[in-house]
Amino acid sequence: MDRKGHRRGRGLLMIGVALAALMAGPGPIASVARAQTAGPSVSGARAFDIPAQPLRDALGQFGRQAGLPVSFASATSAGLRSQPVKGTMAPDEALTRLLGGTGVSWRVAGGAVIVEQAPAPPMASELGAEDGLIVLDAITVASSSLGQGFTEDTPYKTAGSVSHISREQIDRVPPTSAGDMFSNTPGVIAAGNHVGTSVNPNIRGLQGMGRVKVTVDGTEQTTSSYRGYIGSRDETYIDPDLIGGIDITKGPSGGAGGGIGGSVAVRTLLPEDIIPEGKDWGVRLKGGLGGNTRAPSAIGTSSQASDPSFLNSDSWTGSIAAATTSDNFDIIAAFSKRKQGNYFAGSLAPSYFRFPGETNANSIVRPGQEVSNTSEDTQSILLKGSLRWGDGHNLQLGYSRYDSTHGEIMELMYAPWYGNAQRALSQTTVDTYTMKYRWQPAAYSWVNLRANLWMTDLDRVNGSFAPGSAAYGNSQVRTWGGDISNTAAVDVGLVPLDIEVGMNFTREDASTDQWLNGTRWETPGPSGIRKTFGGYVNLRADVTDRIELRGGLRYDYYESRGKGYLADYPDRSEGHLSPNAGITYTPYAGIQLFALYKEGLRPPSLRETHWNYQNLLVNNPDLQGEKAQDIELGLNVLREGVFLPGDNLRLKATLFRNRYRDYIVRASADPASTYPYQWTNIDRADYRGYEISGAYDAGGWFVEAALTRYNSIEYCYNGQCGTPGSADALGRDYTANYIPPKYSGTVSIGARLLDRRLTLGARAQFAGVRFGSDWGAVENETGQVGTNFTWPSYEVYDLFGSYAFNDTTMLNFSIENITDKYYYTALSSGGIPSPGRTARVSLTVTF
């Protein structure tokens, strides 16, 4: 190892030593439990969103959302459930509501909230402040459930670009493809949304090769596929019916995991998602029907059939989930079945679409025609159990399986000379194993220990290469990893500090085989082993009641080697130290201004370091990882009672400039010729723009909106900068197919009627053309193989509604694309049209 490598190794070792010292036990610093500090108070008004659940878990959520340490004995919460609390209010009011009907009260002592069996609750002034004002300390709470995740208010009280997709949003307009779940999220687009059942999120222009990290309950499925002229695609498989929520963080993460483009954390169902209020067990039954699909045609044929009737459509879903909870354990089990045929494109096509037989055809599927290879037959199971004991110990074990037989559109063969033919179905299975441990004793603010260990097994057979079954793209990827971290609340004299220290690792083992008529075909994926390691330290300090400072360091290191004939490629390794810093200013309760700077490393993927495609792609031993340098300026607003009593206003506005040094592209290995290609680093890639999202809820009606706008997208190589096509390193790259539209967004409006049991609403989705494209010369836009694809602008309208028969039975209904428009979604792969008019209805019963 060279000197540079030694320095990187020492950096990782130093962070590891710091972690071990902090977790080893009460040392000189860690033993200082934070007490209530004197100093200026801040307004007691805080935003709360705590559903009814076991009291032990509800108190944990209250502590995090109020920013107060909470202490209670296990016997105090045994067998009790909380009341729901939602809205902006003082912590004393929120806690009183939460404990309503439990016979439990609270008091303040030693800087902590003590929950106990006592005769009466304290007055607000007992919190040690005047006029209901309290000193907000670190978020150090007693035991809580594992992985609760964000709430709908989290993005609007977080200094940084985060988003949350709730279960309610998923159910409003049920997804045809899993990527439809991101439709309302600013800055996030599901790339190639209808090519298969996997998701491949694009966050602010970055996608593929691990630039965006997608996790399911903290686990990774590190796999990708080669898509021909469109490039490669990262693929993660999730079942929408088993999701409890999705949390999205944009930009590099200073904590465990995360890509330089951002992270998408998918949380599967928890007991509190199933168990009705006031009970310790629950069952959820859910079933749905949809239209606009039919069973796939015979292999090799292209159906011209028209859209079947709603009742004759081959589209339905069904799931059952059961859970039980007590003071010491939780168990949840769920099964889901999802089936749909090939969907049909919209029938009303704008004049700029041209179809086979016309000059410069830019679409293969005709209006109203069946889109072959979009069917799905998926079944999933989920098992999770948690055990709690002692003072704040919590252990969860989990297993899930995703098993799907589905259509797959291979863009390499999606061209007029291949046509819209039905191909053999692909088969994908994913087995996921998780183990999570938490230790959060009520008496020690310096202990909030989290440890995770997980493994995923993915087995994939791609049937989309040929009309028959002669060629298959088989890949197997086993990924396992883990992380450990601790957040300590300490008092160093001047200001209280939160110190987070952690480490994480992953090991990816990929094997791919492809045979064509008995001969090995060197595609579609890499074979090798890649290991990644990371260590980090993050600090947070409330220097005044209005100003918060944050900072940290993260060290990343990777090494990879090939297997089989790819073992001849050189082994790789690289390390990088990334700082982050931020400041948050809170001029008034519910209003934040923030500024952030974040760096990060994206190690080259196995596809970039250990892959060969028919000898057209040669290895580059000098390839370096991508380095992110992101700047954000933002505003958060989360206020209640703004225009009407009890209304709620949420607003988030972010201005971003994301720079990626050593950005990796595909270029000619020899400048004097076209072939062969190699992966190489260019100087940088820059994305600048802004995002605005928000909601206003007056109770009887609501409005939600999101908008993303790019001001500049630029790539620089050898001192020359421009959009794709003008920068000379990008002429042979796929980057233009990853560039998002100039603008995109959604607007939803709704009304609650009949004592708020009936909800009716509408949604508009819209997007412009790809940034940097020249759509004005529409007659020259072929939009097909061998060109950088450009998507026309579009507006699509949906209707949605729900009716609650009672507290346990809910009917949801929706109509997507009510005008039956023929259109391509932003970042559609090739010329794949989106579904036409699609009606759905579902019934959910809990008991």
Side-chain angles (χ1 to χ4, degrees):
M1 183 181 296
D2 58 15
R3 294 182 180 179
K4 191 175 182 180
H6 280 296
R7 288 196 299 269
R8 291 166 180 160
R10 287 198 301 269
L12 182 61
L13 179 61
M14 291 173 62
I15 292 177
V17 171
L19 173 67
L22 187 58
M23 293 180 176
I29 295 180
S31 62
V32 182
R34 179 181 298 182
Q36 186 168 346
T37 59
S41 298
V42 300
S43 172
R46 310 296 275 182
F48 291 93
D49 187 357
I50 307 173
Q53 60 189 294
L55 182 59
R56 181 187 188 98
D57 297 340
L59 290 172
Q61 287 193 38
F62 168 80
R64 289 194 300 272
Q65 296 180 22
L68 288 167
V70 180
S71 177
F72 61 92
S74 297
T76 302
S77 63
L80 298 178
R81 290 184 63 83
S82 71
Q83 296 297 321
V85 178
K86 186 172 184 179
T88 301
M89 64 194 78
D92 61 320
E93 180 184 354
L95 188 54
T96 301
R97 290 187 185 183
L98 185 145
L99 296 174
T102 64
V104 175
S105 61
W106 58 271
R107 61 187 175 87
V108 175
V113 176
I114 309 298
V115 178
E116 59 188 1
Q117 296 287 347
M123 302 296 291
S125 59
E126 293 180 47
L127 284 170
E130 299 177 359
D131 300 323
L133 301 182
I134 60 175
V135 176
L136 295 179
D137 255 332
I139 303 175
T140 52
V141 300
S143 176
S144 62
S145 70
L146 293 168
Q148 253 318 340
F150 296 172
T151 69
E152 61 183 2
D153 286 341
T154 300
Y156 306 100
K157 56 186 179 181
T158 300
S161 294
V162 302
S163 299
H164 175 65
I165 302 172
S166 66
R167 181 71 248 176
E168 178 187 2
Q169 290 175 316
I170 296 173
D171 288 336
R172 275 186 189 174
V173 183
T176 299
S177 298
D180 293 341
M181 295 185 293
F182 301 102
S183 296
N184 298 327
T185 308
V188 182
I189 299 174
N193 189 25
H194 299 294
V195 301
T197 58
S198 64
V199 295
N200 180 31
N202 177 297
I203 296 183
R204 292 178 177 172
L206 288 197
Q207 73 180 65
M209 303 297 191
R211 294 184 177 107
V212 173
K213 190 76 70 177
V214 183
T215 61
V216 181
D217 284 343
T219 71
E220 300 177 22
Q221 302 169 23
T222 49
T223 184
S224 66
S225 61
Y226 176 62
R227 318 299 298 192
Y229 296 99
I230 300 300
S232 63
R233 170 182 174 86
D234 283 4
E235 302 195 86
T236 302
Y237 297 88
I238 53 180
D239 189 327
D241 278 349
L242 298 187
I243 292 177
I246 302 175
D247 303 332
I248 299 170
T249 302
K250 300 161 193 174
S253 170
I260 59 173
S263 61
V264 177
V266 179
R267 175 182 68 80
T268 58
L269 294 173
L270 292 172
E272 47 264 45
D273 297 316
I274 303 300
I275 299 175
E277 181 180 343
K279 298 182 67 174
D280 56 10
W281 65 274
V283 177
R284 187 195 76 176
L285 298 174
K286 186 174 182 179
L289 295 174
N292 197 41
T293 75
R294 70 184 299 271
S297 306
I299 294 175
T301 64
S302 179
S303 173
Q304 302 293 326
S306 58
D307 179 8
S309 66
F310 178 79
L311 295 177
N312 194 33
S313 178
D314 187 29
S315 176
W316 59 271
T317 62
S319 66
I320 180 172
T324 184
T325 185
S326 72
D327 192 50
N328 296 318
F329 68 88
D330 296 326
I331 298 175
I332 183 170
F335 173 81
S336 171
K337 177 74 171 180
R338 170 177 294 269
K339 187 174 183 180
Q340 69 177 33
N342 294 334
Y343 66 75
F344 288 77
S347 61
L348 301 179
S351 60
Y352 44 73
F353 286 105
R354 299 175 302 282
F355 302 98
E358 301 178 28
T359 303
N360 292 330
N362 60 8
S363 183
I364 297 172
V365 181
R366 297 180 183 276
Q369 186 181 1
E370 174 187 341
V371 184
S372 299
N373 308 298
T374 56
S375 67
E376 174 183 4
D377 187 352
T378 300
Q379 55 188 20
S380 302
I381 61 173
L382 173 69
L383 297 170
K384 287 196 290 191
S386 297
L387 178 65
R388 295 181 287 270
W389 73 94
D391 185 13
H393 297 278
N394 195 330
L395 176 66
Q396 182 192 87
L397 300 178
Y399 169 75
S400 65
R401 180 174 176 86
Y402 176 97
D403 190 342
S404 183
T405 301
H406 56 91
E408 182 125 13
I409 295 177
M410 173 54 66
E411 294 89 337
L412 176 65
M413 306 184 73
Y414 204 68
W417 48 88
Y418 287 109
N420 181 30
Q422 178 66 43
R423 307 189 185 280
L425 300 178
S426 296
Q427 295 178 321
T428 301
T429 60
V430 184
D431 293 289
T432 301
Y433 309 84
T434 61
M435 181 171 65
K436 301 181 178 182
Y437 171 72
R438 307 288 185 267
W439 183 34
Q440 196 172 6
Y444 303 108
S445 63
W446 46 269
V447 178
N448 183 2
L449 181 66
R450 305 167 67 89
N452 304 305
L453 189 63
W454 52 267
M455 184 181 74
T456 61
D457 264 329
L458 184 146
D459 196 335
R460 185 168 176 271
V461 177
N462 189 336
S464 66
F465 280 93
S469 57
Y472 286 93
N474 303 339
S475 61
Q476 300 84 37
V477 183
R478 170 172 290 182
T479 309
W480 63 281
D483 60 85
I484 183 170
S485 65
N486 186 66
T487 302
V490 300
D491 193 338
V492 295
L494 297 177
V495 295
L497 290 177
D498 289 336
I499 305 175
E500 180 188 18
V501 185
M503 298 180 69
N504 64 277
F505 73 93
T506 61
R507 183 183 189 275
E508 172 188 358
D509 190 338
S511 300
T512 59
D513 280 315
Q514 181 140 346
W515 298 82
L516 179 62
N517 298 326
T519 303
R520 193 177 193 282
W521 198 21
E522 296 176 356
T523 186
S527 292
I529 295 175
R530 187 180 70 155
K531 302 175 184 178
T532 63
F533 307 90
Y536 57 91
V537 177
N538 293 314
L539 306 177
R540 186 188 72 86
D542 295 318
V543 295
T544 72
D545 61 338
R546 297 176 184 268
I547 298 177
E548 174 191 286
L549 296 179
R550 284 181 288 164
L553 290 173
R554 177 179 175 85
Y555 182 79
D556 288 286
Y557 176 81
Y558 92 95
E559 56 186 41
S560 65
R561 59 181 174 85
K563 297 194 304 183
Y565 74 100
L566 296 173
D568 295 335
Y569 288 0
D571 293 353
R572 310 299 181 91
S573 65
E574 184 181 0
H576 184 72
L577 186 65
S578 305
N580 68 83
I583 181 171
T584 304
Y585 176 60
T586 306
Y588 305 99
I591 299 178
Q592 289 181 332
L593 298 170
F594 61 87
L596 302 176
Y597 175 79
K598 299 184 291 184
E599 292 190 10
L601 170 72
R602 198 275 292 183
S605 65
L606 280 173
R607 185 171 294 280
E608 291 164 319
T609 59
H610 292 89
W611 180 50
N612 178 70
Y613 174 50
Q614 299 181 350
N615 296 315
L616 297 179
L617 187 76
V618 298
N619 196 256
N620 181 0
D622 299 320
L623 191 68
Q624 300 294 308
E626 296 173 345
K627 290 86 177 178
Q629 297 174 322
D630 289 7
I631 297 175
E632 292 185 8
L633 302 175
L635 165 70
N636 286 329
V637 177
L638 181 59
R639 302 279 290 181
E640 192 175 69
V642 179
F643 303 110
L644 298 171
D647 69 0
N648 188 290
L649 175 65
R650 307 182 188 98
L651 176 67
K652 191 178 194 77
T654 305
L655 184 68
F656 61 87
R657 190 230 67 183
N658 299 345
R659 172 165 293 176
Y660 308 100
R661 295 186 295 108
D662 294 328
Y663 188 82
I664 298 176
V665 302
R666 189 188 73 158
S668 298
D670 182 358
S673 63
T674 300
Y675 304 106
Y677 301 127
Q678 69 175 7
W679 301 108
T680 190
N681 300 105
I682 63 173
D683 300 336
R684 59 183 173 86
D686 283 356
Y687 292 78
R688 301 170 187 260
Y690 59 86
E691 293 174 1
I692 302 175
S693 60
Y696 177 75
D697 194 327
W701 58 276
F702 61 90
V703 178
E704 300 173 357
L707 171 69
T708 303
R709 177 70 163 84
Y710 292 89
N711 297 326
S712 173
I713 297 178
E714 188 175 66
Y715 298 83
C716 298
Y717 179 61
N718 288 338
Q720 298 183 13
C721 297
T723 54
S726 60
D728 57 5
L730 302 177
R732 301 294 175 181
D733 189 49
Y734 314 110
T735 304
N737 296 305
Y738 307 156
I739 293 179
K742 295 178 181 178
Y743 63 87
S744 62
T746 62
V747 177
S748 299
I749 59 173
R752 302 183 180 98
L753 310 170
L754 303 180
D755 198 24
R756 302 190 182 185
R757 296 172 67 179
L758 174 65
T759 299
L760 297 175
R763 179 180 70 177
Q765 304 179 66
F766 57 89
V769 300
R770 190 193 78 216
F771 192 96
S773 68
D774 182 15
W775 184 252
V778 63
E779 66 277 7
N780 296 322
E781 292 286 350
T782 61
Q784 285 300 329
V785 171
T787 67
N788 292 324
F789 195 76
T790 294
W791 314 274
S793 60
Y794 64 87
E795 303 85 27
V796 178
Y797 304 96
D798 311 315
L799 298 177
F800 61 86
S802 64
Y803 182 75
F805 293 96
N806 49 48
D807 291 340
T808 63
T809 305
M810 174 75 75
L811 178 72
N812 286 84
F813 47 91
S814 63
I815 303 177
E816 177 188 356
N817 190 3
I818 58 175
T819 62
D820 203 27
K821 186 173 185 176
Y822 187 101
Y823 73 104
Y824 301 154
T825 55
L827 295 179
S828 172
S829 297
I832 303 170
S834 297
R837 185 186 299 115
T838 304
R840 299 182 192 277
V841 61
S842 66
L843 184 68
T844 302
V845 179
T846 58
F847 56 87

